[in-house]
Amino acid sequence: MELQLSMVDGSVCMKDSAKSEISSERTLYPYVTGTSIIGMKYKDGVILASDTAGSYGSTLRYKSVERIKQVGDHTLIGASGEISDFQEIMRYLDELILYDKMWDDGNSLGPKEVHNYLNRIMYNRRNKFNPLWNSLVLGGVKKGQKYLGTVNMIGTHYEDDHLATGFGNHLARPILRSEWREDLTFEEAVKLIEKCLLVLLYRDRSSINKFQIAKITDEGTTIFPPYALKTFWGFSHFQNPSKGAAGTW
Amino acid sequence: MALRGDWMYENNGGTCVAIAGIDYCVVAADTRLSVGYNILTRDHSKICSLADKVVLASSGFQGDIRALHKNLAARHLLYQHQHNKQMSCPAMGQLLSNTLYYKRFFPYYAFNVLGGLDNEGKGCVFTYDAVGSYERVGYSTQGSGSSLIMPVLDNQLKSPSPLLLPARDAVTPLSETEAVDLVKDVFASATERDIYTGDKLEIVVINASGIKREYLELRKD
């Protein structure tokens, strides 16, 4: 059994003269995807929010996908993009946290460290032409220091006071740039997040009316159960839309 | 989709400038990170302090820039352990060139400007392309606003022609404050016309007393 390097796409296949080639697999395009994640710092910590949809192209296949998860004691991670790659990332991160806990030395990995680890993973997979097809938001608090960072599938990463992925960058970030303040209380922060989630619900085709908010403070993490927002459709334009139209449609 | 095209790169924009003086070096870069017509964040530094007398500013694809900076910082640490001294600017210049050429067939999408003091304490600027071709110059600029800034520097710094014999010194006779003011002016101008340049300017000055950092607000539109 010998290894053969294909110069076309860099994939490595095992070639056995008796058997046929088995080429190694890579993520070519995403299949089941999650849409935007919104994250922002507030007075006591960090809030992450997302909807719970898993789309299969234009089909809304899964309606209860948890796209925000806890990583260790100090971090929350929210993922958009390919859901199976997010599950793979959770395997990497859970293993990282486990080995850190096994040292049992009183230290624990904070959000900065987890973000750095994730940056390297995403960048290295991109270098091997086999990306984890995700845009991730990492938020956390450690010893009073709030942290919010993001990384995408090619390894671009940065931190800010408020972040979003996908459509959230276009629709939610402008609202946050205008209305975010350093000293938002939890209730005010949730109101601001809900304003962003509502815009995404109206304007992002792949979002659904089932949202999850998670908060992390020095005291701990809470991932709230999913809930729906009130929408308004009573615009005069939507009433009797075919009035004045010639023909049957 | 992963097998073809240029999905593995993106241009996060930004501009870097470096000017070498008699006994100082100014390295500056804006702090805007963009992708396409979006601004991702207004406060992201493109400058990396590699050694006591060496500062690197890079623009291009942020993932590659960060990896490149980390790579060089790690190599510098190894150098310190092995040689018990800091790397000089010309040495780091060569290392950066070799590091970039190492990935000649899957390049770091990073356009670099290395600034610092050479072994005699004179200002030292090296300018690079993405695959490691480099040259020592008196001043340089790279990035999205470079074509707007370079002609202004050529005019203001009046660098002697490299063809003259004997070779003339390329470092500018301007004082440190004059050079910093020039940098602020060129960035304000580039911000007006380049959409990828703006938000904030980070200026790093290296001289005999060490490394000093200064910030200037730029237009946010």
Side-chain angles (χ1 to χ4, degrees):
Chain A
M1 193 95 65
E2 60 188 64
L3 284 169
Q4 258 206 351
L5 175 69
S6 157
M7 288 309 278
V8 170
D9 56 12
S11 71
V12 180
C13 352
M14 291 208 284
K15 195 161 185 201
D16 191 339
S17 37
K19 297 202 205 104
S20 56
E21 291 172 23
I22 316 153
S23 85
S24 64
E25 265 121 34
R26 53 178 71 201
T27 307
L28 294 172
Y29 20 73
Y31 284 93
V32 179
T33 56
T35 182
S36 330
I37 302 272
I38 311 174
M40 59 187 243
K41 294 183 186 170
Y42 72 105
K43 186 155 71 101
D44 308 318
V46 178
I47 287 191
L48 259 65
S50 76
D51 69 5
T52 61
S55 312
Y56 185 64
S58 54
T59 312
L60 179 52
R61 177 67 185 84
Y62 299 103
K63 296 198 255 191
S64 298
V65 180
E66 257 206 51
R67 297 194 288 117
I68 301 180
K69 297 244 191 250
Q70 186 173 358
V71 179
D73 301 319
H74 304 282
T75 324
L76 274 176
I77 179 172
S80 67
E82 172 63 59
I83 301 290
S84 63
D85 280 347
F86 178 45
Q87 290 167 349
E88 176 85 345
I89 287 170
M90 285 315 296
R91 270 196 290 276
Y92 281 128
L93 292 179
D94 288 339
E95 182 192 53
L96 177 77
I97 299 292
L98 179 68
Y99 282 136
D100 182 50
K101 271 220 170 51
M102 293 208 298
W103 283 107
D104 199 20
D105 56 1
N107 284 321
S108 50
L109 291 171
K112 247 192 243 270
E113 291 85 62
V114 176
H115 190 209
N116 192 50
Y117 179 70
L118 211 42
N119 291 343
R120 290 301 109 216
I121 291 182
M122 303 301 277
Y123 183 72
N124 273 287
R125 290 288 294 254
R126 165 260 186 201
N127 280 348
K128 296 194 279 206
F129 290 83
N130 185 13
L132 289 159
W133 209 284
N134 295 103
S135 290
L136 306 148
V137 173
L138 256 116
V141 195
K142 192 171 174 202
K143 295 203 176 79
Q145 288 271 51
K146 295 174 277 208
Y147 185 86
L148 185 60
T150 182
V151 58
N152 73 5
M153 74 186 223
I154 51 174
T156 310
H157 58 274
Y158 48 96
E159 308 154 37
D160 212 334
D161 296 324
H162 46 76
L163 291 170
T165 67
F167 259 97
N169 260 319
H170 295 93
L171 299 171
R173 272 327 273 288
I175 301 176
L176 293 168
R177 284 210 179 99
S178 170
E179 298 184 25
W180 180 86
R181 282 174 358 250
E182 182 93 55
D183 54 354
L184 288 166
T185 64
F186 179 65
E187 289 71 33
E188 291 172 325
V190 172
K191 263 189 78 184
L192 184 52
I193 284 255
E194 283 183 350
K195 190 170 182 179
C196 298
L197 289 173
L198 202 55
V199 172
L200 286 169
L201 175 62
Y202 283 130
R203 292 293 178 176
D204 179 4
R205 157 186 101 143
S206 21
S207 67
I208 59 170
N209 197 357
K210 189 172 172 195
F211 300 103
Q212 231 179 357
I213 292 195
K215 78 166 170 142
I216 182 161
T217 62
D218 250 330
E219 276 84 59
T221 316
T222 319
I223 303 182
F224 295 98
Y227 71 106
L229 291 173
K230 245 168 83 145
T231 55
F232 178 70
W233 299 98
F235 296 100
S236 58
H237 242 67
F238 294 162
Q239 321 295 24
N240 207 3
S242 56
K243 180 169 102 174
T248 51
W249 57 278
Chain B
M1 202 181 136
L3 289 169
R4 68 178 73 91
D6 54 1
W7 61 266
M8 69 286 257
Y9 288 112
E10 72 186 11
N11 189 354
N12 297 116
T15 312
C16 314
V17 166
I19 301 178
I22 304 263
D23 59 353
Y24 67 89
C25 185
V26 180
V27 178
D30 70 326
T31 62
R32 174 178 284 181
L33 201 71
S34 1
V35 76
Y37 285 117
N38 282 335
I39 296 177
L40 296 176
T41 188
R42 299 188 190 276
D43 199 6
H44 186 91
S45 173
K46 296 183 185 57
I47 299 183
C48 180
S49 256
L50 288 171
D52 273 354
K53 306 253 178 343
V54 186
V55 167
L56 173 62
S58 320
S59 95
F61 167 42
Q62 192 261 350
D64 274 346
I65 289 171
R66 187 84 178 92
L68 179 65
H69 287 188
K70 275 189 144 211
N71 198 337
L72 293 172
R75 289 298 300 270
H76 184 237
L77 196 56
L78 277 170
Y79 182 96
Q80 286 179 77
H81 289 151
Q82 288 169 354
H83 301 272
N84 198 23
K85 65 172 188 174
Q86 297 271 321
M87 263 177 105
S88 66
C89 197
M92 186 60 86
Q94 185 67 56
L95 177 63
L96 174 54
S97 170
N98 292 148
T99 308
L100 291 169
Y101 197 81
Y102 191 76
K103 277 179 48 89
R104 169 69 177 77
F105 300 108
F106 183 15
Y108 285 112
Y109 191 89
F111 296 95
N112 303 290
V113 165
L114 188 76
L117 302 177
D118 66 11
N119 291 313
E120 295 152 19
K122 272 204 349 231
C124 175
V125 170
F126 292 97
T127 189
Y128 296 79
D129 71 357
V131 286
S133 153
Y134 81 117
E135 136 181 70
R136 180 170 177 177
V137 287
Y139 59 91
S140 180
T141 165
Q142 293 281 354
S144 55
S146 62
S147 46
L148 297 164
I149 294 180
M150 201 57 163
V152 180
L153 293 182
D154 285 333
N155 179 271
Q156 292 297 306
L157 295 173
K158 294 189 178 53
S159 195
S161 167
L163 301 167
L164 291 171
L165 285 173
R168 305 271 197 276
D169 212 352
V171 299
T172 177
L174 288 179
S175 74
E176 198 182 293
T177 30
E178 286 175 320
V180 170
D181 281 342
L182 177 61
V183 163
K184 291 179 179 174
D185 277 338
V186 292
F187 264 94
S189 310
T191 303
E192 294 288 316
R193 293 288 180 174
D194 178 25
I195 59 171
Y196 298 112
T197 304
D199 290 332
K200 209 158 74 164
L201 173 62
E202 183 181 6
I203 307 173
V204 175
V205 181
I206 310 128
N207 53 25
S209 30
I211 298 187
K212 212 175 55 208
R213 215 164 279 254
E214 192 186 332
Y215 293 95
L216 172 73
E217 292 294 318
L218 294 172
R219 280 185 69 154
K220 303 194 182 317
D221 62 1

